[in-house]
Amino acid sequence: MSKKVLLSGVQPSGKPHIGNYFGAMKQFVDLQDSYDSYIFIADYHALHSLKNKKEMKENIINVLLDYLAIGLDPKKVTLFKQSDISEHTELAWVFDTITTMPYLMRAHAFKDAEAKNKEIDVGTFNYPMLMAADILLYSPDIVPVGQDQKQHVEIARDTAEKFNRIFGDTFKLPEPMIIKNMEIVPGLDGRKMSKSYNNIIPLFAEYDEVKKCVMAIVTDSSGGVPKNVYAIHKLFRSEDELKKIYKEKEGKYKELKEILVEDIEKFVAPLREKRKEFSKDIPKALEILKAGSAKAKVIASKKMEEVRENIGVSL
Ligand code: TYM
């Protein structure tokens, strides 16, 4: 029996953080043996927040190195870049024509931008349509994401259903896959860890940077368990062990933070080493990406041909 299909992606909008890792990227690695996996770099998505050629290039390469360093094996996973596959933007347009504005106005990204009184670009408004195209071109069974992307996967599912209803059965309906207890990894201030909140611990930070971040975790002054420290700590140690440590060191926030720094370091150091190895041969990493994009292109173009046929533009 052929394997089920998994698809997901990360935006190269900055450094991936431990929220991205535990919320999503770790699942890509854990599931690569059991699923036919497609993992991509969502560079066109990042364009809505990043408008700098040099940074964009660097960030794309960084996400690629991160994917390799966390253990994604190019023999098992098709690693590709969104902008290499023009079918993503092509299909997004088709979806734009079957989706209403009031429907997209309910999407979180738009509502957040509106609440902040930001000038909202059309790309941000249409963002869920590009994401629907990313997903539906590859007919995945599951899409592992953090909680913040759940609504987008549901929009992809609704869009597939709507398209199928109008033009006939074309798309498989995808399911979001969200790991319990990792739905929302908290940041240094207890809110969701997010680049836009400036509350992250970068996944591949050097020791000193990790230390600086951990020391900046916001603690209350009640003298009990510092809940923001504990919430991050439990990503790196079992709760049984943690309960003992936090009881023994009750009220000693600095010492608890120092233990957390060491635990993060133990976890990150080997990954960082692997990443350094991969970064010594960028052309080789880019070859991997190119080969992955070529493979993805075959699948995406086949699906897009089916779409063109079903909407009636193929003659
Ligand atoms: P992005 O790049 O913001 O985040 C990548 C993944 O990390 C998850 N994540 C978190 N999970 C738990 N706790 C957190 N604090 C946390 N912060 C981020 C995100 O949920 C995501 O799974 N739009 C997507 C990228 C994308 C995509 C796709 C994903 C574009 N097309 C198609 C899946 C399928 C995004 O901005 O993720």
Side-chain angles (χ1 to χ4, degrees):
M1 208 177 76
S2 61
K3 282 182 183 168
K4 290 197 165 181
V5 177
L6 175 157
L7 174 131
S8 197
V10 174
Q11 281 193 61
S13 49
K15 286 183 190 162
H17 50 72
I18 62 170
N20 298 131
Y21 179 74
F22 287 102
M25 294 162 82
K26 182 174 185 295
Q27 277 67 260
F28 308 166
V29 182
D30 294 345
L31 297 169
Q32 65 182 338
D33 287 320
S34 5
Y35 286 85
D36 184 12
S37 301
Y38 294 83
I39 302 294
F40 71 101
I41 301 171
D43 51 354
Y44 273 154
H45 271 107
L47 190 59
H48 84 99
S49 62
L50 177 60
K51 291 173 177 71
N52 179 305
K53 176 177 165 179
K54 186 168 167 279
E55 261 183 66
M56 178 65 93
K57 282 188 187 221
E58 278 170 11
N59 287 1
I60 292 171
I61 292 172
N62 280 330
V63 174
L64 174 62
L65 294 174
D66 294 346
Y67 277 159
L68 296 170
I70 61 171
L72 287 180
D73 179 351
K75 288 195 206 80
K76 298 175 186 160
V77 179
T78 304
L79 285 176
F80 69 100
K81 178 155 73 69
Q82 183 184 36
S83 62
D84 284 343
I85 323 284
S86 50
E87 283 79 359
H88 289 233
T89 42
E90 186 179 353
L91 182 57
W93 170 257
V94 175
F95 289 159
D96 281 348
T97 68
I98 63 165
T99 306
T100 68
M101 292 195 28
Y103 177 81
L104 283 183
M105 280 164 132
R106 292 201 295 269
H108 294 315
F110 172 74
K111 285 209 298 198
D112 288 353
E114 205 185 26
K116 287 181 193 144
N117 278 329
K118 276 195 189 163
E119 268 202 7
I120 305 166
D121 56 81
V122 178
T124 300
F125 185 67
N126 280 0
Y127 185 110
M129 294 295 95
L130 181 56
M131 184 151 159
D134 297 339
I135 296 172
L136 299 175
L137 280 171
Y138 301 89
S139 314
D141 296 279
I142 59 159
V143 183
V145 285
Q147 179 72 28
D148 62 333
Q149 295 297 324
K150 182 168 182 258
Q151 189 196 33
H152 289 154
V153 183
E154 286 164 356
I155 291 176
R157 196 182 160 89
D158 284 355
T159 306
E161 269 182 329
K162 190 161 186 189
F163 186 98
N164 290 349
R165 208 164 48 239
I166 301 171
F167 296 109
D169 201 18
T170 311
F171 294 112
K172 183 171 206 165
L173 307 187
E175 291 280 354
M177 181 195 201
I178 295 165
I179 296 295
K180 214 167 167 287
N181 300 324
M182 297 293 166
E183 299 97 333
I184 303 172
V185 174
L188 305 179
D189 53 2
R191 291 187 294 170
K192 180 186 92 163
M193 186 175 287
S194 166
K195 281 163 254 181
S196 51
Y197 294 155
N198 215 355
N199 64 357
I200 69 161
I201 303 179
L203 177 58
F204 289 99
E206 293 289 341
Y207 183 84
D208 286 345
E209 194 181 0
V210 171
K211 190 161 178 190
K212 209 169 135 211
C213 292
V214 169
M215 291 306 157
I217 298 177
V218 179
T219 49
D220 55 20
S221 52
S222 67
V225 172
K227 65 178 193 321
N228 294 339
V229 183
Y230 189 92
I232 295 177
H233 214 156
K234 71 178 198 228
L235 303 167
F236 298 93
R237 247 194 221 243
S238 78
E239 293 226 48
D240 282 349
E241 280 177 30
L242 279 190
K243 277 184 189 135
K244 265 188 230 143
I245 298 170
Y246 277 68
K247 194 158 171 46
E248 219 172 90
K249 306 272 179 203
E250 202 177 322
K252 297 181 177 151
Y253 292 178
K254 186 155 177 282
E255 280 182 51
L256 287 169
K257 284 182 171 180
E258 279 160 359
I259 300 172
L260 173 57
V261 172
E262 295 312 316
D263 284 348
I264 297 179
E265 178 62 14
K266 240 183 268 161
F267 168 79
V268 173
L271 298 185
R272 222 168 34 214
E273 282 317 301
K274 268 177 79 181
R275 194 181 190 285
K276 278 186 190 143
E277 280 308 305
F278 284 115
S279 68
K280 284 182 192 154
D281 195 351
I282 307 271
K284 189 172 163 203
L286 291 176
E287 275 305 312
I288 292 172
L289 193 64
K290 204 171 150 196
S293 288
K295 236 181 112 187
K297 178 83 184 175
V298 174
I299 296 169
S301 59
K302 212 164 148 221
K303 188 47 103 181
M304 198 60 217
E305 262 173 38
E306 204 184 321
V307 171
R308 288 192 211 101
E309 177 63 36
N310 291 353
I311 61 180
V313 296
S314 300
L315 302 178

